[in-house]
Amino acid sequence: INAEYMGKLLKFKGLLDRGAMMKEQYSIKRDKFLGEVRTFQISRFKEIPLSKLPVETVQRERYMIETHTWKTEEITIKLDLQHSMKGNMRTAFMMLDNSKPEGRRMCVAKVYQEQVYGDLEADVRMQVYAIHFADAFNRRNPPKQVRFLDSFLIRRNKARIPENMRLMAVERYLPGNYEKYNNNWDYVSPSLRNTPQAFSHFTYEYTKGKLIVLDIQGVGDVYTDPQIHTSSLNDLAFGSGNHGPEGIRMFFANHRCNPICTYLNLKVRGESEILTQGTIPRHKPNPEYFSQVRVRKLSRHLRPIPDSFYPEDLVWLGIGPDLFNRLAIAFSKYDEDNDGKVPITELWSILDELNFHYLDESMTELENKIDYSRDGYVSFIEFICWWCNVE
C-alpha cells in the first residue's frame, strides 16, 4: 500500500484512537477501503503486457491430500518482476502459466516480503484443503455454491535468482471487487452474506471439530487465501496463523447461525438467535437421513426425472431436481446396459463428468467406500447414497 493509501488508513485509526469512531465502524470502513484499493490495484495489474516477457522454465509443485506429498512437474511461465502489488505481508507479480490453454493463463505469483516470516507451503496446503471442503459443502446443494482458486508452488532454481524469490505461491488471476467476510480471529463482516459464514461453520461440523476454515475472502463466492485453525496447536501443517482452539472459539463467539446453517442441519453455535436476513434456501431438507429402501424408489428414475417427481422424494434427499438430474445423466452415460450399475472403474469418469475432485482418500479407499456390495460394480443406489452421505 503506497503512502496515499496508508495516510487514509491512519486517518481512520486516528478517529478510532480519539473515540470519534466505534471499533465496529472502524473495521467496516477499513475492510471496505482495503477491498476498494485491492480491486483498483488488480484492475491496473491486468493492463501489464506479458506476452513479450522471456520464457522461464520452473518446477511446479502441487500438494496431494490423499498422499500428503508434493507432485512435481516442469512447466514454462512468463513472470513480470518489474510491476508488483504489495500487501501487508506479501508481494504479488503477474504471471502467465503456459501449461494452461489460451484465456486461462493469467495468474498471480506471491512471495513473502523479506522482513516477514511466512510459509508458502502451508498457504498452498490450506488452499488445497479448502478446495476439498468446498466440494463437500457444494454436495449438500446449498443455494449458492462456493469454490477456492486452485493454488500451487513454483520453484525457480537459477543461481542468479535471489533466495526470497525462488519459491512462489501461484493462483489464477481473479478480477473483481474483493471482500473479506471473516478473518482468522474475531471479525465477521456486517454485510448480509450468509454463505461465507455458513461455509466456515460447516467445515467445523464436517471435520467433527478437528478444524475450521476462516479468513474467507474473495470476489463473490470465489475465495482465496484462507486460514485453517485446528483443535491442536501442535499441528504445524497450517502455518503460524493457526491459532488452534482459541481461534475456533473466537469465531463462534461472534458467529450467528443463519438460514443456510439451518438448511445444512449444523449445530447452533455462537449466539442462539438465528439470523433471518440474507440468502434463504427455498427447500429445507429433512433432518433425518433417508433409508436405503427409500433410495431404491429413486433408482427407478435413473434416466432424467420428470418435473412431477420432485416434491416428495427429492426434498427428502435434501437435493434439488437440477442436481439429481446432473447425477442421473452423468451416471447413465456410463451405464451402457441400462441396468442401474456401472463397473467400479467407471467411477472416476462419472466424477470427472460432475467436475468433482475427491481429495480425502485414495482411489482404492473411495471405491471400497462406495461399492457397498463389494461386487466390483457401483449401483445407482450406492452412488446416490454416497453422494448424499447416507449411512
Side-chain angles (χ1 to χ4, degrees):
I1 300 176
N2 65 25
E4 178 186 355
Y5 297 142
M6 186 58 71
K8 291 185 178 180
L9 283 178
L10 291 174
K11 180 180 178 181
F12 292 149
K13 187 66 166 59
L15 291 172
L16 174 67
D17 293 341
R18 294 197 302 272
M21 181 182 291
M22 300 294 289
K23 183 179 179 181
E24 184 177 349
Q25 290 177 305
Y26 168 72
S27 296
I28 294 171
K29 286 183 175 294
R30 178 198 61 194
D31 291 332
K32 182 180 180 181
F33 176 70
L34 288 175
E36 290 171 353
V37 170
R38 187 173 185 184
T39 300
F40 173 71
Q41 289 180 324
I42 287 177
S43 66
R44 292 186 64 188
F45 223 15
K46 189 177 180 181
E47 298 171 5
I48 298 170
L50 300 175
S51 58
K52 296 181 180 180
L53 292 172
V55 174
E56 181 179 344
T57 301
V58 299
Q59 297 295 314
R60 176 167 62 192
E61 300 179 7
R62 288 190 177 278
Y63 183 71
M64 314 302 290
I65 286 184
E66 61 271 22
T67 58
H68 305 291
T69 58
W70 294 85
K71 179 181 177 182
T72 303
E73 60 182 334
E74 189 175 276
I75 64 170
T76 61
I77 65 168
K78 292 184 176 183
L79 184 63
D80 183 6
L81 299 174
Q82 302 303 313
H83 304 86
S84 64
M85 183 176 71
K86 286 191 175 182
N88 291 332
M89 300 176 65
R90 291 177 295 189
T91 301
F93 304 90
M94 290 303 290
M95 186 191 100
L96 288 183
D97 179 355
N98 291 329
S99 69
K100 299 288 187 182
E102 288 284 351
R104 296 177 57 191
R105 293 181 177 179
M106 190 169 289
C107 298
V108 177
K110 306 174 186 177
V111 296
Y112 278 97
Q113 295 166 19
E114 291 188 67
Q115 70 275 21
V116 176
Y117 170 77
D119 186 344
L120 291 173
E121 288 190 4
D123 293 347
V124 170
R125 188 183 294 113
M126 284 188 285
Q127 199 140 322
V128 173
Y129 270 93
I131 290 171
H132 163 63
F133 295 133
D135 279 340
F137 180 81
N138 294 338
R139 282 171 51 199
R140 271 63 177 179
N141 199 33
K144 294 181 179 178
Q145 299 212 335
V146 305
R147 70 184 181 92
F148 283 81
L149 294 177
D150 180 33
S151 184
F152 55 87
L153 297 172
I154 58 169
R155 199 173 293 274
R156 308 166 68 222
N157 294 319
K158 292 184 179 180
R160 59 181 173 78
I161 297 174
E163 188 66 30
N164 68 313
M165 296 292 290
R166 291 190 177 187
L167 187 66
M168 309 181 87
V170 179
E171 65 184 24
R172 185 171 63 83
Y173 165 76
L174 179 64
N177 186 21
Y178 271 75
E179 185 173 354
K180 182 182 281 288
Y181 302 112
N182 58 47
N183 67 6
N184 65 353
W185 192 241
D186 62 350
Y187 172 73
V188 176
S189 170
S191 65
L192 299 179
R193 289 301 323 280
N194 290 339
T195 299
Q197 312 306 337
F199 172 75
S200 288
H201 186 175
F202 167 81
T203 61
Y204 182 77
E205 305 295 348
Y206 179 74
T207 62
K208 297 180 171 58
K210 293 180 180 178
L211 59 79
I212 190 169
V213 181
L214 295 175
D215 215 3
I216 306 300
Q217 58 194 301
V219 178
D221 288 310
V222 181
Y223 307 145
T224 183
D225 289 340
Q227 175 62 54
I228 293 178
H229 296 331
T230 60
S231 58
S232 171
L233 267 177
N234 295 324
D235 192 336
L236 303 178
F238 302 124
S240 59
N242 175 11
H243 297 316
E246 187 63 10
I248 296 173
R249 187 189 71 80
M250 289 302 294
F251 169 76
F252 284 116
N254 292 275
H255 173 67
R256 286 181 65 185
C257 282
N258 59 56
I260 299 180
C261 299
T262 304
Y263 173 81
L264 297 171
N265 296 317
L266 304 180
K267 181 177 179 179
V268 177
R269 299 181 185 274
E271 296 185 38
S272 58
E273 184 182 357
I274 296 176
L275 287 170
T276 57
Q277 305 174 88
T279 299
I280 299 177
R282 286 185 298 175
H283 306 291
K284 181 176 182 296
N286 192 299
E288 298 179 0
Y289 287 130
F290 54 95
S291 66
Q292 291 262 1
V293 174
R294 187 75 172 187
V295 179
R296 286 192 177 90
K297 289 180 64 179
L298 296 174
S299 69
R300 298 199 304 270
H301 298 270
L302 176 60
R303 296 300 174 185
I305 57 174
D307 293 339
S308 60
F309 179 71
Y310 171 64
E312 180 185 1
D313 287 326
L314 291 192
V315 170
W316 225 42
L317 276 167
I319 62 177
D322 291 342
L323 177 57
F324 188 82
N325 262 324
R326 281 184 59 214
L327 299 177
I329 291 169
F331 191 93
S332 61
K333 185 174 180 179
Y334 295 90
D335 180 18
E336 296 180 354
D337 300 328
N338 197 24
D339 59 358
K341 62 182 182 181
V342 298
I344 191 71
T345 53
E346 298 287 8
L347 173 63
W348 303 100
S349 298
I350 296 172
L351 294 180
D352 284 343
E353 286 283 328
L354 296 165
N355 294 318
F356 179 74
H357 306 289
Y358 200 80
L359 303 171
D360 194 36
E361 297 168 290
S362 69
M363 291 185 180
T364 301
E365 289 172 326
L366 180 56
E367 289 171 359
N368 289 336
K369 189 173 183 179
I370 297 181
D371 183 13
Y372 299 101
S373 59
R374 301 292 188 270
D375 61 356
Y377 288 85
V378 177
S379 69
F380 187 66
I381 297 172
E382 291 171 330
F383 180 68
I384 199 76
C385 282
W386 167 78
W387 187 276
C388 296
N389 198 22
V390 180
E391 302 295 341

